[in-house]
Amino acid sequence: MNAKTLFGSLVSVTVLTALLSSCDSKKTEAPATTPAPAPVASTDATKVEWPAIKSAVAKDPAVEQRIDELLAKMTLEEKVGQLIQPEIRYLTPEDVTKYHVGSVLNGGGSTPGANKYASLQDWVKLADSFYNASVDKSNGRLGIPIIWGTDAVHGLGNVVGATLFPHNIGLGATNNPELLKQIGWATAREIAATGLDWDFSPTVAVARDDHWGRTYESWSEDPRIVGSFAGKMVEGLQGTGGSDKFLTNEHVIATSKHFIGDGGTLNGVDRGETQGDEKFVRDTHGAGYFSAIESGVQVVMASFTSYGGTRMHGHKYLLTDVLKNRMGFDGLVVGDWSGHSFIPGCTALDCPESLMAGLDIYMVPEPDWKELYNNLVAQAKSGEVTAERLDDAVRRILRVKIRAGLFEKGAPSTRPLAGKKEVLGAPEHRAIARQAVRESLVMLKNKNNLLPLARKQKVLVAGDGADNIGKQSGGWSVSWQGTGNTNADFPGGTSIYAGIKEVVDAAGGKTTLSADGSFSEKPDVAIVVFGEDPYAEMQGDAGSLAYKVRDPSDWELLKKLRSQGIPVVSLFISGRPLWVNREINASDAFVAIWLPGTEGNGIADVIFKNAEGNVNYDMKGRLSFSWPKLPNQSPLNVGDANYDPLFAYGYGLSYGDKDTLADNLSEEGPKAAAALDKLDIFKQRPIDPWHLEIIGFQNDLVPATTSNIKASSITLQAVDRNVQEDARRVQWLGNGNGQVALSINERQDFINYVKENSALVFDIKVNAAPSDATWLRLGCGSYCASDIDLTEKLKGFAGQDWQTVTVPLSCYPNSGANFGVQQPPEEYWTQVLQPFSLITKGTLDITFANVSVVKGAGKDVACP
């Protein structure tokens, strides 16, 4: 294969090499390898040197004096109010005034009045109401303007009619950092049209395991690419730091996220534990922050993840000592969606630890967020939150607001771009997005130089992604998950089919759209558009990187067309590299088009010749992620020992390149784990590799490494049933959610157990009935679970002897709101992490023993 080299010129423009060479004298010749070293807490003896970074936005003595004057006048309550960021669904203008609220957000899919089709005027009107309430100086208030943040991660995804750019994984293939600056500029303008001030972007993750559901939010597995792109995106959003273009009315505050290591968790589990020693974390996951801070980024968002066993929202060493003190970041640190609540000892509404660790703004999308405000006020008065830390957090918030000119810009409706319909989806913005699509395409196969295609011919366009703007746009598109949309929800956008039709029909050819590939007149060529359905965050975590091995419909379609003598071009939609050997074999040309966004016509620009019969636009994209040769080949990163991908990092064919790839790639997919007659999970003890743990309402997870353990709302004790300590007694204390679970670190494939009518079988003795709803949970990751209500069954067992409970596995997919929603249920059965778990917030006293999955035991058994 003729592998084109990626980023030959890119490394020279990144700040990463220079920054790291100042930290360690030993030069790293290749990107860090996996598996990463184990997390190690920093000590004086092992301390890793982090770079001191000079921001393009220097501290201004006049600004600092203004902050001093404001702080001197602010009441304690006004200061605390600046730290609180509620969600628009739970905030009123009256709340803003009463609680001195400093910022607000709208989550993915959250819109004014819960109206998916809210107009620009609706957005501006709501922004005005919050702003006017915040600057109200009655009753002696200082009138500090509120800021409103939104997730515009590939364009303004919450607003119907906005320009949606390719997701980061596609942009990473462009080798064009300057294009990121243009995308940032266009995105900022469309945000400004809504009257908002702040973008929770860019994501600067370095994704190291493609099982992760947010891989597509990463530009690359290589920190050099991420480092070269992050600063440019910040410049586009905010304007050039230190110039008169910085944070003008057509720019917005940028956020680099999620600090730090969100893309490096064990097994790619979203919100998991970041792997690697501190030097690895710095060199790999720090890259985007170095260039973003250098470009003057004003906000850093803390990650949900943990490092060294400590949640990042409470990681004082990394948030304060490293980010703020060593690296010199003088902006503000914002939390992520109640991420502080994951700190042991904390809840969403009570967590002074996070503030003391270095968080400056609590993102608290809870209906009762006012309790957090009241708790912080009390904690500041008691000294639990020190005056020094409170003032530092408020100082940082005020610094960002002053730099953004919010005290002078006036109400959102008075700003130049607010409410301007011509800005949303503007032609110049769509032109940038279309260019990005063209440059992001990576051609992996081009047998006999099939591409580019002549325009004047009979073209069949097939596949479920052909005329589906929602599918081609992916997650964070109108809705959080990118689901529930039609083409009508993307006015001004162009489907891939529509772009093809425009080109072919104009040249006198004929275009036929047929999702299933049927036709009445044999086409000259078939273009098949297929791939992953939309997903976001944890709901995109994958148990396997093999594409649809249990649903071969796309593969069958390709084979059917090819068997009829029709040349086949595959356009593969995906948010990560996937094992698609079968589909590649069945294609004459295969192009990774990633998640191109609303400007699907950019694809036709490249795959068709121009009117003169010459190359219109060349294939320029090069892989910024390694492409797997085997279905279980992850993590897979350039620089690994024994690195052996199907397509290496940097690969991509241009037109005219000789393609030596044959049609004989191995098609042996992953084999589902054999279903044992009986899979013991707990038998007198947890059966290796399963382990037992309890989790209290304060997120204090305690592994059962001794006979007696206790968490904040639950206790566990080894007790005797038939022999010594062959059972476990669990008592819930009734002071909040408590959970007991049999867990495993590596995802387990239970699909064959489901096919064999298997059931979860366990023995239980109810010593005291539940006082509240109690759920039997099957867990597959963060916010991925299926719950079955066992309350009445457990009440019926109270006071009786031991009972055996049999729960058919087939009962689960229809039970849990987060199980099997974004993917077919069978996909979730490939990523089981907790096959047995009980959870309640009330009181309950039970003893359990003998937990297993038994083949055939679910046949003819009713669901609980």
Side-chain angles (χ1 to χ4, degrees), residues 178-219:
E178 289 299 323
L179 180 60
L180 271 292
K181 188 173 180 179
Q182 297 178 55
I183 291 170
W185 169 79
T187 300
R189 284 172 51 84
E190 297 201 14
I191 293 172
T194 64
L196 276 60
D197 322 279
W198 180 7
D199 185 9
F200 298 141
S201 173
T203 300
V204 299
V206 180
R208 303 290 290 179
D209 189 323
D210 300 341
H211 289 103
W212 188 36
R214 304 188 80 156
T215 297
Y216 67 77
E217 294 188 56
S218 172
W219 288 307

mmCIF file of all heavy atoms in Angstrom, residues 178-219:
data_model
loop_
_atom_site.group_PDB
_atom_site.id
_atom_site.type_symbol
_atom_site.label_atom_id
_atom_site.label_comp_id
_atom_site.label_asym_id
_atom_site.label_seq_id
_atom_site.Cartn_x
_atom_site.Cartn_y
_atom_site.Cartn_z
ATOM 1 N N GLU A 178 -4.875 26.006 9.993
ATOM 2 C CA GLU A 178 -5.486 27.305 9.693
ATOM 3 C C GLU A 178 -6.981 27.171 9.415
ATOM 4 O O GLU A 178 -7.754 28.095 9.664
ATOM 5 C CB GLU A 178 -4.788 27.964 8.508
ATOM 6 C CG GLU A 178 -3.384 28.463 8.815
ATOM 7 C CD GLU A 178 -3.362 29.526 9.912
ATOM 8 O OE1 GLU A 178 -4.287 30.362 9.957
ATOM 9 O OE2 GLU A 178 -2.422 29.509 10.724
ATOM 10 N N LEU A 179 -7.387 26.026 8.894
ATOM 11 C CA LEU A 179 -8.813 25.783 8.663
ATOM 12 C C LEU A 179 -9.573 25.787 9.984
ATOM 13 O O LEU A 179 -10.723 26.241 10.049
ATOM 14 C CB LEU A 179 -9.002 24.451 7.940
ATOM 15 C CG LEU A 179 -10.435 24.026 7.612
ATOM 16 C CD1 LEU A 179 -11.123 25.046 6.720
ATOM 17 C CD2 LEU A 179 -10.437 22.654 6.947
ATOM 18 N N LEU A 180 -8.929 25.297 11.046
ATOM 19 C CA LEU A 180 -9.570 25.305 12.365
ATOM 20 C C LEU A 180 -9.862 26.728 12.821
ATOM 21 O O LEU A 180 -10.886 26.993 13.459
ATOM 22 C CB LEU A 180 -8.679 24.593 13.383
ATOM 23 C CG LEU A 180 -8.851 23.082 13.557
ATOM 24 C CD1 LEU A 180 -10.206 22.778 14.185
ATOM 25 C CD2 LEU A 180 -8.710 22.339 12.245
ATOM 26 N N LYS A 181 -8.982 27.638 12.508
ATOM 27 C CA LYS A 181 -9.196 29.041 12.868
ATOM 28 C C LYS A 181 -10.425 29.599 12.165
ATOM 29 O O LYS A 181 -11.238 30.319 12.758
ATOM 30 C CB LYS A 181 -7.952 29.856 12.525
ATOM 31 C CG LYS A 181 -7.985 31.295 13.018
ATOM 32 C CD LYS A 181 -6.647 31.982 12.790
ATOM 33 C CE LYS A 181 -6.681 33.426 13.283
ATOM 34 N NZ LYS A 181 -5.358 34.088 13.082
ATOM 35 N N GLN A 182 -10.596 29.246 10.899
ATOM 36 C CA GLN A 182 -11.782 29.698 10.156
ATOM 37 C C GLN A 182 -13.055 29.082 10.727
ATOM 38 O O GLN A 182 -14.089 29.754 10.835
ATOM 39 C CB GLN A 182 -11.634 29.325 8.679
ATOM 40 C CG GLN A 182 -10.481 29.978 7.964
ATOM 41 C CD GLN A 182 -10.387 29.495 6.520
ATOM 42 O OE1 GLN A 182 -11.352 29.573 5.751
ATOM 43 N NE2 GLN A 182 -9.226 28.974 6.142
ATOM 44 N N ILE A 183 -12.987 27.808 11.090
ATOM 45 C CA ILE A 183 -14.151 27.141 11.675
ATOM 46 C C ILE A 183 -14.521 27.796 13.002
ATOM 47 O O ILE A 183 -15.701 28.024 13.292
ATOM 48 C CB ILE A 183 -13.872 25.640 11.852
ATOM 49 C CG1 ILE A 183 -13.799 24.959 10.476
ATOM 50 C CG2 ILE A 183 -14.937 24.976 12.719
ATOM 51 C CD1 ILE A 183 -13.298 23.527 10.530
ATOM 52 N N GLY A 184 -13.518 28.110 13.807
ATOM 53 C CA GLY A 184 -13.780 28.795 15.072
ATOM 54 C C GLY A 184 -14.439 30.142 14.856
ATOM 55 O O GLY A 184 -15.385 30.507 15.565
ATOM 56 N N TRP A 185 -13.960 30.873 13.877
ATOM 57 C CA TRP A 185 -14.543 32.192 13.565
ATOM 58 C C TRP A 185 -16.011 32.068 13.166
ATOM 59 O O TRP A 185 -16.874 32.805 13.664
ATOM 60 C CB TRP A 185 -13.736 32.845 12.443
ATOM 61 C CG TRP A 185 -14.371 34.074 11.854
ATOM 62 C CD1 TRP A 185 -14.374 35.338 12.385
ATOM 63 C CD2 TRP A 185 -15.120 34.148 10.633
ATOM 64 N NE1 TRP A 185 -15.076 36.191 11.561
ATOM 65 C CE2 TRP A 185 -15.542 35.484 10.476
ATOM 66 C CE3 TRP A 185 -15.463 33.224 9.653
ATOM 67 C CZ2 TRP A 185 -16.291 35.921 9.383
ATOM 68 C CZ3 TRP A 185 -16.211 33.644 8.562
ATOM 69 C CH2 TRP A 185 -16.620 34.981 8.441
ATOM 70 N N ALA A 186 -16.312 31.139 12.272
ATOM 71 C CA ALA A 186 -17.688 30.967 11.811
ATOM 72 C C ALA A 186 -18.589 30.503 12.950
ATOM 73 O O ALA A 186 -19.733 30.969 13.089
ATOM 74 C CB ALA A 186 -17.731 29.964 10.653
ATOM 75 N N THR A 187 -18.091 29.580 13.770
ATOM 76 C CA THR A 187 -18.876 29.090 14.907
ATOM 77 C C THR A 187 -19.182 30.226 15.876
ATOM 78 O O THR A 187 -20.309 30.359 16.366
ATOM 79 C CB THR A 187 -18.118 27.959 15.625
ATOM 80 O OG1 THR A 187 -17.897 26.879 14.717
ATOM 81 C CG2 THR A 187 -18.900 27.453 16.829
ATOM 82 N N ALA A 188 -18.182 31.039 16.162
ATOM 83 C CA ALA A 188 -18.368 32.151 17.092
ATOM 84 C C ALA A 188 -19.421 33.119 16.582
ATOM 85 O O ALA A 188 -20.255 33.632 17.357
ATOM 86 C CB ALA A 188 -17.042 32.877 17.307
ATOM 87 N N ARG A 189 -19.426 33.398 15.309
ATOM 88 C CA ARG A 189 -20.415 34.324 14.734
ATOM 89 C C ARG A 189 -21.834 33.782 14.912
ATOM 90 O O ARG A 189 -22.769 34.532 15.236
ATOM 91 C CB ARG A 189 -20.115 34.567 13.254
ATOM 92 C CG ARG A 189 -18.939 35.511 13.017
ATOM 93 C CD ARG A 189 -18.551 35.574 11.550
ATOM 94 N NE ARG A 189 -19.681 35.838 10.675
ATOM 95 C CZ ARG A 189 -20.166 37.052 10.411
ATOM 96 N NH1 ARG A 189 -19.631 38.112 10.977
ATOM 97 N NH2 ARG A 189 -21.188 37.200 9.578
ATOM 98 N N GLU A 190 -22.014 32.485 14.692
ATOM 99 C CA GLU A 190 -23.359 31.918 14.818
ATOM 100 C C GLU A 190 -23.791 31.873 16.283
ATOM 101 O O GLU A 190 -24.972 32.074 16.590
ATOM 102 C CB GLU A 190 -23.408 30.540 14.147
ATOM 103 C CG GLU A 190 -23.124 30.627 12.648
ATOM 104 C CD GLU A 190 -23.621 29.448 11.828
ATOM 105 O OE1 GLU A 190 -24.424 28.648 12.348
ATOM 106 O OE2 GLU A 190 -23.216 29.339 10.649
ATOM 107 N N ILE A 191 -22.852 31.630 17.197
ATOM 108 C CA ILE A 191 -23.192 31.713 18.623
ATOM 109 C C ILE A 191 -23.597 33.130 18.972
ATOM 110 O O ILE A 191 -24.589 33.366 19.675
ATOM 111 C CB ILE A 191 -21.993 31.260 19.486
ATOM 112 C CG1 ILE A 191 -21.711 29.770 19.286
ATOM 113 C CG2 ILE A 191 -22.268 31.532 20.973
ATOM 114 C CD1 ILE A 191 -20.435 29.290 19.955
ATOM 115 N N ALA A 192 -22.837 34.107 18.487
ATOM 116 C CA ALA A 192 -23.144 35.515 18.776
ATOM 117 C C ALA A 192 -24.520 35.898 18.256
ATOM 118 O O ALA A 192 -25.192 36.767 18.830
ATOM 119 C CB ALA A 192 -22.070 36.416 18.171
ATOM 120 N N ALA A 193 -24.971 35.249 17.194
ATOM 121 C CA ALA A 193 -26.302 35.553 16.656
ATOM 122 C C ALA A 193 -27.405 35.165 17.631
ATOM 123 O O ALA A 193 -28.512 35.709 17.574
ATOM 124 C CB ALA A 193 -26.504 34.832 15.322
ATOM 125 N N THR A 194 -27.127 34.237 18.539
ATOM 126 C CA THR A 194 -28.129 33.852 19.543
ATOM 127 C C THR A 194 -28.084 34.750 20.774
ATOM 128 O O THR A 194 -28.931 34.630 21.660
ATOM 129 C CB THR A 194 -27.906 32.396 20.006
ATOM 130 O OG1 THR A 194 -26.642 32.308 20.675
ATOM 131 C CG2 THR A 194 -27.935 31.430 18.838
ATOM 132 N N GLY A 195 -27.052 35.584 20.863
ATOM 133 C CA GLY A 195 -26.892 36.436 22.035
ATOM 134 C C GLY A 195 -26.064 35.798 23.131
ATOM 135 O O GLY A 195 -25.927 36.371 24.219
ATOM 136 N N LEU A 196 -25.479 34.612 22.873
ATOM 137 C CA LEU A 196 -24.679 33.917 23.878
ATOM 138 C C LEU A 196 -23.224 34.384 23.822
ATOM 139 O O LEU A 196 -22.787 34.971 22.825
ATOM 140 C CB LEU A 196 -24.767 32.408 23.688
ATOM 141 C CG LEU A 196 -26.002 31.734 24.339
ATOM 142 C CD1 LEU A 196 -27.299 32.270 23.788
ATOM 143 C CD2 LEU A 196 -25.937 30.215 24.147
ATOM 144 N N ASP A 197 -22.483 34.083 24.890
ATOM 145 C CA ASP A 197 -21.152 34.646 25.061
ATOM 146 C C ASP A 197 -20.024 33.618 25.074
ATOM 147 O O ASP A 197 -18.856 33.988 25.021
ATOM 148 C CB ASP A 197 -21.052 35.376 26.419
ATOM 149 C CG ASP A 197 -22.301 36.125 26.795
ATOM 150 O OD1 ASP A 197 -22.483 37.235 26.296
ATOM 151 O OD2 ASP A 197 -23.106 35.590 27.590
ATOM 152 N N TRP A 198 -20.335 32.321 25.160
ATOM 153 C CA TRP A 198 -19.336 31.372 25.641
ATOM 154 C C TRP A 198 -19.574 30.019 24.996
ATOM 155 O O TRP A 198 -20.691 29.501 24.997
ATOM 156 C CB TRP A 198 -19.480 31.301 27.163
ATOM 157 C CG TRP A 198 -18.590 30.415 27.934
ATOM 158 C CD1 TRP A 198 -17.517 29.690 27.501
ATOM 159 C CD2 TRP A 198 -18.692 30.156 29.341
ATOM 160 N NE1 TRP A 198 -16.953 29.000 28.540
ATOM 161 C CE2 TRP A 198 -17.642 29.270 29.680
ATOM 162 C CE3 TRP A 198 -19.548 30.583 30.350
ATOM 163 C CZ2 TRP A 198 -17.454 28.802 30.982
ATOM 164 C CZ3 TRP A 198 -19.357 30.123 31.639
ATOM 165 C CH2 TRP A 198 -18.317 29.256 31.947
ATOM 166 N N ASP A 199 -18.497 29.439 24.457
ATOM 167 C CA ASP A 199 -18.574 28.119 23.841
ATOM 168 C C ASP A 199 -17.788 27.116 24.685
ATOM 169 O O ASP A 199 -16.628 27.353 25.020
ATOM 170 C CB ASP A 199 -17.973 28.168 22.428
ATOM 171 C CG ASP A 199 -18.120 26.863 21.665
ATOM 172 O OD1 ASP A 199 -18.829 25.964 22.144
ATOM 173 O OD2 ASP A 199 -17.511 26.744 20.575
ATOM 174 N N PHE A 200 -18.423 25.993 25.022
ATOM 175 C CA PHE A 200 -17.727 24.911 25.713
ATOM 176 C C PHE A 200 -16.954 24.086 24.673
ATOM 177 O O PHE A 200 -17.234 22.906 24.445
ATOM 178 C CB PHE A 200 -18.706 24.025 26.475
ATOM 179 C CG PHE A 200 -19.475 24.732 27.558
ATOM 180 C CD1 PHE A 200 -20.813 24.439 27.782
ATOM 181 C CD2 PHE A 200 -18.881 25.687 28.367
ATOM 182 C CE1 PHE A 200 -21.534 25.069 28.793
ATOM 183 C CE2 PHE A 200 -19.587 26.334 29.375
ATOM 184 C CZ PHE A 200 -20.914 26.023 29.582
ATOM 185 N N SER A 201 -15.990 24.703 24.054
ATOM 186 C CA SER A 201 -15.219 24.101 22.974
ATOM 187 C C SER A 201 -13.927 24.898 22.848
ATOM 188 O O SER A 201 -13.919 26.085 23.178
ATOM 189 C CB SER A 201 -16.037 24.155 21.681
ATOM 190 O OG SER A 201 -15.289 23.743 20.563
ATOM 191 N N PRO A 202 -12.828 24.292 22.408
ATOM 192 C CA PRO A 202 -12.708 22.982 21.774
ATOM 193 C C PRO A 202 -12.395 21.849 22.757
ATOM 194 O O PRO A 202 -11.798 22.066 23.801
ATOM 195 C CB PRO A 202 -11.502 23.178 20.845
ATOM 196 C CG PRO A 202 -10.634 24.143 21.593
ATOM 197 C CD PRO A 202 -11.597 25.090 22.275
ATOM 198 N N THR A 203 -12.815 20.643 22.355
ATOM 199 C CA THR A 203 -12.367 19.430 23.041
ATOM 200 C C THR A 203 -10.956 19.124 22.553
ATOM 201 O O THR A 203 -10.728 19.004 21.348
ATOM 202 C CB THR A 203 -13.289 18.249 22.711
ATOM 203 O OG1 THR A 203 -14.606 18.559 23.135
ATOM 204 C CG2 THR A 203 -12.813 16.983 23.402
ATOM 205 N N VAL A 204 -10.009 19.038 23.473
ATOM 206 C CA VAL A 204 -8.609 18.826 23.092
ATOM 207 C C VAL A 204 -8.121 17.456 23.566
ATOM 208 O O VAL A 204 -6.943 17.257 23.843
ATOM 209 C CB VAL A 204 -7.706 19.961 23.624
ATOM 210 C CG1 VAL A 204 -8.139 21.293 23.035
ATOM 211 C CG2 VAL A 204 -7.724 20.037 25.146
ATOM 212 N N ALA A 205 -9.042 16.508 23.623
ATOM 213 C CA ALA A 205 -8.705 15.153 24.057
ATOM 214 C C ALA A 205 -7.780 14.470 23.062
ATOM 215 O O ALA A 205 -7.890 14.673 21.848
ATOM 216 C CB ALA A 205 -9.990 14.335 24.212
ATOM 217 N N VAL A 206 -6.890 13.652 23.575
ATOM 218 C CA VAL A 206 -6.081 12.756 22.755
ATOM 219 C C VAL A 206 -6.632 11.354 22.999
ATOM 220 O O VAL A 206 -6.332 10.724 24.011
ATOM 221 C CB VAL A 206 -4.591 12.842 23.136
ATOM 222 C CG1 VAL A 206 -3.763 11.891 22.275
ATOM 223 C CG2 VAL A 206 -4.079 14.276 22.991
ATOM 224 N N ALA A 207 -7.478 10.882 22.098
ATOM 225 C CA ALA A 207 -8.166 9.603 22.294
ATOM 226 C C ALA A 207 -7.196 8.452 22.046
ATOM 227 O O ALA A 207 -6.642 8.325 20.952
ATOM 228 C CB ALA A 207 -9.368 9.498 21.364
ATOM 229 N N ARG A 208 -7.016 7.607 23.043
ATOM 230 C CA ARG A 208 -6.043 6.525 22.960
ATOM 231 C C ARG A 208 -6.674 5.143 22.880
ATOM 232 O O ARG A 208 -5.968 4.154 22.703
ATOM 233 C CB ARG A 208 -5.111 6.592 24.180
ATOM 234 C CG ARG A 208 -4.385 7.910 24.329
ATOM 235 C CD ARG A 208 -3.344 8.121 23.268
ATOM 236 N NE ARG A 208 -2.200 7.243 23.428
ATOM 237 C CZ ARG A 208 -1.158 7.233 22.603
ATOM 238 N NH1 ARG A 208 -1.135 8.030 21.549
ATOM 239 N NH2 ARG A 208 -0.140 6.408 22.823
ATOM 240 N N ASP A 209 -7.979 5.051 23.039
ATOM 241 C CA ASP A 209 -8.671 3.766 22.913
ATOM 242 C C ASP A 209 -9.999 4.051 22.225
ATOM 243 O O ASP A 209 -10.860 4.743 22.763
ATOM 244 C CB ASP A 209 -8.903 3.130 24.281
ATOM 245 C CG ASP A 209 -9.416 1.691 24.186
ATOM 246 O OD1 ASP A 209 -10.228 1.415 23.270
ATOM 247 O OD2 ASP A 209 -9.029 0.861 25.020
ATOM 248 N N ASP A 210 -10.153 3.509 21.012
ATOM 249 C CA ASP A 210 -11.299 3.880 20.178
ATOM 250 C C ASP A 210 -12.611 3.271 20.635
ATOM 251 O O ASP A 210 -13.662 3.548 20.040
ATOM 252 C CB ASP A 210 -11.020 3.506 18.723
ATOM 253 C CG ASP A 210 -9.795 4.221 18.180
ATOM 254 O OD1 ASP A 210 -9.401 5.239 18.778
ATOM 255 O OD2 ASP A 210 -9.219 3.759 17.176
ATOM 256 N N HIS A 211 -12.588 2.470 21.711
ATOM 257 C CA HIS A 211 -13.853 2.047 22.327
ATOM 258 C C HIS A 211 -14.592 3.257 22.923
ATOM 259 O O HIS A 211 -15.806 3.193 23.147
ATOM 260 C CB HIS A 211 -13.598 1.035 23.456
ATOM 261 C CG HIS A 211 -13.140 -0.304 22.985
ATOM 262 N ND1 HIS A 211 -11.834 -0.715 23.070
ATOM 263 C CD2 HIS A 211 -13.816 -1.342 22.429
ATOM 264 C CE1 HIS A 211 -11.725 -1.942 22.590
ATOM 265 N NE2 HIS A 211 -12.912 -2.352 22.197
ATOM 266 N N TRP A 212 -13.871 4.321 23.201
ATOM 267 C CA TRP A 212 -14.429 5.497 23.865
ATOM 268 C C TRP A 212 -15.509 6.138 22.998
ATOM 269 O O TRP A 212 -15.323 6.362 21.807
ATOM 270 C CB TRP A 212 -13.303 6.503 24.125
ATOM 271 C CG TRP A 212 -13.672 7.680 24.975
ATOM 272 C CD1 TRP A 212 -14.521 7.701 26.030
ATOM 273 C CD2 TRP A 212 -13.169 9.014 24.836
ATOM 274 N NE1 TRP A 212 -14.590 8.964 26.571
ATOM 275 C CE2 TRP A 212 -13.769 9.792 25.861
ATOM 276 C CE3 TRP A 212 -12.276 9.629 23.962
ATOM 277 C CZ2 TRP A 212 -13.506 11.156 26.008
ATOM 278 C CZ3 TRP A 212 -12.002 10.969 24.121
ATOM 279 C CH2 TRP A 212 -12.611 11.723 25.136
ATOM 280 N N GLY A 213 -16.636 6.448 23.618
ATOM 281 C CA GLY A 213 -17.761 7.028 22.889
ATOM 282 C C GLY A 213 -17.556 8.449 22.425
ATOM 283 O O GLY A 213 -18.368 8.980 21.659
ATOM 284 N N ARG A 214 -16.457 9.089 22.853
ATOM 285 C CA ARG A 214 -16.178 10.460 22.424
ATOM 286 C C ARG A 214 -14.953 10.526 21.518
ATOM 287 O O ARG A 214 -14.378 11.602 21.314
ATOM 288 C CB ARG A 214 -15.973 11.362 23.642
ATOM 289 C CG ARG A 214 -17.127 11.357 24.610
ATOM 290 C CD ARG A 214 -17.005 12.395 25.710
ATOM 291 N NE ARG A 214 -17.393 13.712 25.244
ATOM 292 C CZ ARG A 214 -17.827 14.697 26.045
ATOM 293 N NH1 ARG A 214 -17.924 14.495 27.361
ATOM 294 N NH2 ARG A 214 -18.150 15.866 25.560
ATOM 295 N N THR A 215 -14.555 9.389 20.947
ATOM 296 C CA THR A 215 -13.387 9.392 20.072
ATOM 297 C C THR A 215 -13.531 10.428 18.972
ATOM 298 O O THR A 215 -12.565 11.106 18.608
ATOM 299 C CB THR A 215 -13.168 7.988 19.481
ATOM 300 O OG1 THR A 215 -12.877 7.066 20.549
ATOM 301 C CG2 THR A 215 -12.024 7.975 18.491
ATOM 302 N N TYR A 216 -14.730 10.582 18.428
ATOM 303 C CA TYR A 216 -14.900 11.531 17.313
ATOM 304 C C TYR A 216 -14.730 12.980 17.731
ATOM 305 O O TYR A 216 -14.601 13.873 16.876
ATOM 306 C CB TYR A 216 -16.240 11.324 16.615
ATOM 307 C CG TYR A 216 -17.484 11.656 17.415
ATOM 308 C CD1 TYR A 216 -17.892 12.973 17.620
ATOM 309 C CD2 TYR A 216 -18.294 10.648 17.926
ATOM 310 C CE1 TYR A 216 -19.050 13.274 18.323
ATOM 311 C CE2 TYR A 216 -19.445 10.932 18.627
ATOM 312 C CZ TYR A 216 -19.824 12.248 18.822
ATOM 313 O OH TYR A 216 -20.983 12.541 19.525
ATOM 314 N N GLU A 217 -14.730 13.252 19.039
ATOM 315 C CA GLU A 217 -14.473 14.612 19.507
ATOM 316 C C GLU A 217 -12.980 14.904 19.618
ATOM 317 O O GLU A 217 -12.587 16.015 20.001
ATOM 318 C CB GLU A 217 -15.149 14.836 20.861
ATOM 319 C CG GLU A 217 -16.668 14.806 20.814
ATOM 320 C CD GLU A 217 -17.291 15.220 22.124
ATOM 321 O OE1 GLU A 217 -16.978 16.328 22.603
ATOM 322 O OE2 GLU A 217 -18.075 14.435 22.682
ATOM 323 N N SER A 218 -12.154 13.924 19.284
ATOM 324 C CA SER A 218 -10.704 14.070 19.345
ATOM 325 C C SER A 218 -10.151 14.248 17.938
ATOM 326 O O SER A 218 -10.579 13.569 17.003
ATOM 327 C CB SER A 218 -10.086 12.830 20.001
ATOM 328 O OG SER A 218 -8.682 12.850 19.925
ATOM 329 N N TRP A 219 -9.175 15.130 17.799
ATOM 330 C CA TRP A 219 -8.545 15.310 16.494
ATOM 331 C C TRP A 219 -7.625 14.162 16.148
ATOM 332 O O TRP A 219 -7.437 13.860 14.973
ATOM 333 C CB TRP A 219 -7.758 16.624 16.468
ATOM 334 C CG TRP A 219 -8.605 17.857 16.443
ATOM 335 C CD1 TRP A 219 -9.619 18.144 15.565
ATOM 336 C CD2 TRP A 219 -8.535 18.976 17.338
ATOM 337 N NE1 TRP A 219 -10.166 19.370 15.862
ATOM 338 C CE2 TRP A 219 -9.525 19.904 16.936
ATOM 339 C CE3 TRP A 219 -7.727 19.279 18.427
ATOM 340 C CZ2 TRP A 219 -9.720 21.119 17.602
ATOM 341 C CZ3 TRP A 219 -7.925 20.488 19.088
ATOM 342 C CH2 TRP A 219 -8.911 21.401 18.665
#
